Amino acid sequence: MLRPMVALDDVRKARVENAHIARLEELVENVRATLAGPASDRDKIGWITELLNVQGYRIDAPG
């Protein structure tokens, strides 16, 4: 039985999407761990801001 051909672009797109989902899941787990930790709120905000910056998200300070 012949299997349908899958375009390489579709395979690449799926891999990119899966990698992005994995990075987001890891980010969420890191944020949860930071929030659950014993640090002060100010330190938690700093850590979460850094986690987001590392992932390429821009964080603007209020004010």
Side-chain angles (χ1 to χ4, degrees):
M1 183 197 263
L2 294 176
R3 299 168 92 190
M5 297 289 290
V6 177
L8 288 178
D9 289 340
D10 292 340
V11 171
R12 286 187 191 110
K13 182 179 177 185
R15 286 182 182 166
V16 168
E17 289 171 354
N18 288 339
H20 183 68
I21 290 169
R23 282 191 304 274
L24 289 175
E25 288 173 344
E26 182 179 356
L27 177 61
V28 168
E29 289 304 316
N30 288 333
V31 168
R32 284 182 178 152
T34 300
L35 291 173
S40 69
D41 289 345
R42 173 178 242 139
D43 289 342
K44 289 178 183 181
I45 291 169
W47 278 105
I48 291 170
T49 300
E50 190 63 30
L51 287 169
L52 293 169
N53 284 332
V54 167
Q55 290 292 324
Y57 295 98
R58 181 179 168 179
I59 307 301
D60 293 327

mmCIF file of all heavy atoms in Angstrom, residues 1 9 13 32-33 35 43 51 54:
data_model
loop_
_atom_site.group_PDB
_atom_site.id
_atom_site.type_symbol
_atom_site.label_atom_id
_atom_site.label_comp_id
_atom_site.label_asym_id
_atom_site.label_seq_id
_atom_site.Cartn_x
_atom_site.Cartn_y
_atom_site.Cartn_z
ATOM 1 N N MET A 1 0.838 -1.165 0.000
ATOM 2 C CA MET A 1 0.000 0.000 0.000
ATOM 3 C C MET A 1 0.896 1.246 0.000
ATOM 4 O O MET A 1 1.857 1.327 0.733
ATOM 5 C CB MET A 1 -0.900 -0.010 1.231
ATOM 6 C CG MET A 1 -1.829 1.165 1.223
ATOM 7 S SD MET A 1 -2.532 1.466 2.796
ATOM 8 C CE MET A 1 -4.045 0.768 2.888
ATOM 9 N N ASP A 9 8.068 21.016 3.570
ATOM 10 C CA ASP A 9 7.707 22.265 4.245
ATOM 11 C C ASP A 9 6.733 22.007 5.391
ATOM 12 O O ASP A 9 6.818 22.644 6.438
ATOM 13 C CB ASP A 9 7.096 23.270 3.264
ATOM 14 C CG ASP A 9 8.115 23.840 2.297
ATOM 15 O OD1 ASP A 9 9.331 23.769 2.599
ATOM 16 O OD2 ASP A 9 7.707 24.360 1.257
ATOM 17 N N LYS A 13 7.506 22.833 9.247
ATOM 18 C CA LYS A 13 6.565 23.686 9.979
ATOM 19 C C LYS A 13 6.108 22.993 11.260
ATOM 20 O O LYS A 13 6.041 23.613 12.328
ATOM 21 C CB LYS A 13 5.367 24.018 9.097
ATOM 22 C CG LYS A 13 4.374 24.936 9.756
ATOM 23 C CD LYS A 13 3.213 25.248 8.828
ATOM 24 C CE LYS A 13 2.183 26.114 9.531
ATOM 25 N NZ LYS A 13 1.003 26.345 8.714
ATOM 26 N N ARG A 32 6.106 29.092 37.071
ATOM 27 C CA ARG A 32 5.420 28.480 38.217
ATOM 28 C C ARG A 32 6.393 28.197 39.353
ATOM 29 O O ARG A 32 6.087 28.452 40.525
ATOM 30 C CB ARG A 32 4.727 27.185 37.797
ATOM 31 C CG ARG A 32 3.471 27.399 37.018
ATOM 32 C CD ARG A 32 2.814 26.082 36.669
ATOM 33 N NE ARG A 32 1.578 26.326 35.957
ATOM 34 C CZ ARG A 32 1.052 25.485 35.090
ATOM 35 N NH1 ARG A 32 1.635 24.327 34.842
ATOM 36 N NH2 ARG A 32 -0.073 25.771 34.473
ATOM 37 N N ALA A 33 7.555 27.650 39.018
ATOM 38 C CA ALA A 33 8.555 27.347 40.039
ATOM 39 C C ALA A 33 9.036 28.626 40.716
ATOM 40 O O ALA A 33 9.228 28.649 41.939
ATOM 41 C CB ALA A 33 9.731 26.599 39.414
ATOM 42 N N LEU A 35 7.339 31.448 41.051
ATOM 43 C CA LEU A 35 6.257 31.957 41.894
ATOM 44 C C LEU A 35 6.109 31.155 43.187
ATOM 45 O O LEU A 35 5.750 31.704 44.233
ATOM 46 C CB LEU A 35 4.936 31.970 41.128
ATOM 47 C CG LEU A 35 4.846 32.988 39.987
ATOM 48 C CD1 LEU A 35 3.548 32.783 39.211
ATOM 49 C CD2 LEU A 35 4.946 34.414 40.513
ATOM 50 N N ASP A 43 12.142 40.034 43.916
ATOM 51 C CA ASP A 43 13.064 39.073 43.301
ATOM 52 C C ASP A 43 12.347 38.183 42.285
ATOM 53 O O ASP A 43 12.883 37.871 41.223
ATOM 54 C CB ASP A 43 13.736 38.206 44.366
ATOM 55 C CG ASP A 43 14.750 38.969 45.192
ATOM 56 O OD1 ASP A 43 15.190 40.059 44.757
ATOM 57 O OD2 ASP A 43 15.110 38.478 46.281
ATOM 58 N N LEU A 51 13.500 35.521 32.719
ATOM 59 C CA LEU A 51 13.056 34.333 31.981
ATOM 60 C C LEU A 51 12.389 34.726 30.665
ATOM 61 O O LEU A 51 12.637 34.113 29.613
ATOM 62 C CB LEU A 51 12.067 33.520 32.818
ATOM 63 C CG LEU A 51 12.616 32.733 33.991
ATOM 64 C CD1 LEU A 51 11.471 32.202 34.859
ATOM 65 C CD2 LEU A 51 13.475 31.580 33.497
ATOM 66 N N VAL A 54 14.989 36.162 28.125
ATOM 67 C CA VAL A 54 15.795 35.084 27.510
ATOM 68 C C VAL A 54 15.027 34.428 26.363
ATOM 69 O O VAL A 54 15.615 34.043 25.361
ATOM 70 C CB VAL A 54 16.208 34.057 28.574
ATOM 71 C CG1 VAL A 54 16.749 32.790 27.954
ATOM 72 C CG2 VAL A 54 17.224 34.670 29.528
#
